[in-house]
Amino acid sequence: FWARIRSRTEREAVASALRTCRDVTWRRDDPLPFLTMTPTSWEILRIAMAQGVSLGEAATQDIGWFGRQAETEGGLEPVASDVSQSSGRKRL
């Protein structure tokens, strides 16, 4: 993030905004969301650290395509026969 900000003026402006903005996970009268954030997201954090991927990638691994795949010249592609029509809904 910081490496993309080239000028010192821009870095100072971003740092100032980060210091003064309201934190959405911390409120003095309701500290529980902040305190439970790490334990409740531990599984995603563990996957991200182990695989060296972002939290977004780790969090969405379980919603990807897991059907049968065919090897093609350009890599792997889903096989059309894995998706069948039943009552207007797609299923694997």
Side-chain angles (χ1 to χ4, degrees):
F1 171 77
W2 290 105
R4 292 187 206 155
I5 303 172
R6 300 277 181 217
S7 75
R8 180 179 176 171
T9 306
E10 198 175 358
R11 265 194 301 271
E12 289 172 352
V14 170
S16 175
L18 289 173
R19 280 192 306 272
T20 58
C21 71
R22 185 173 164 228
D23 192 333
V24 297
T25 59
W26 172 255
R27 281 188 16 208
R28 188 180 313 265
D29 61 331
D30 186 16
L32 205 52
F34 176 78
L35 298 173
T36 61
M37 189 173 12
T38 301
T40 57
S41 59
W42 175 246
E43 186 62 24
I44 296 169
L45 292 168
R46 186 187 61 75
I47 291 169
M49 291 185 296
Q51 296 179 5
V53 296
S54 71
L55 288 173
E57 289 173 297
T60 57
Q61 284 182 355
D62 63 337
I63 61 171
W65 172 270
F66 295 110
R68 200 165 48 104
Q69 295 180 332
E71 288 190 41
T72 64
E73 194 173 305
L76 296 176
E77 291 185 9
V79 176
S81 64
D82 285 345
V83 179
S84 65
Q85 294 292 332
S86 172
S87 306
R89 293 175 48 186
K90 291 183 178 180
R91 64 184 180 95
L92 295 177

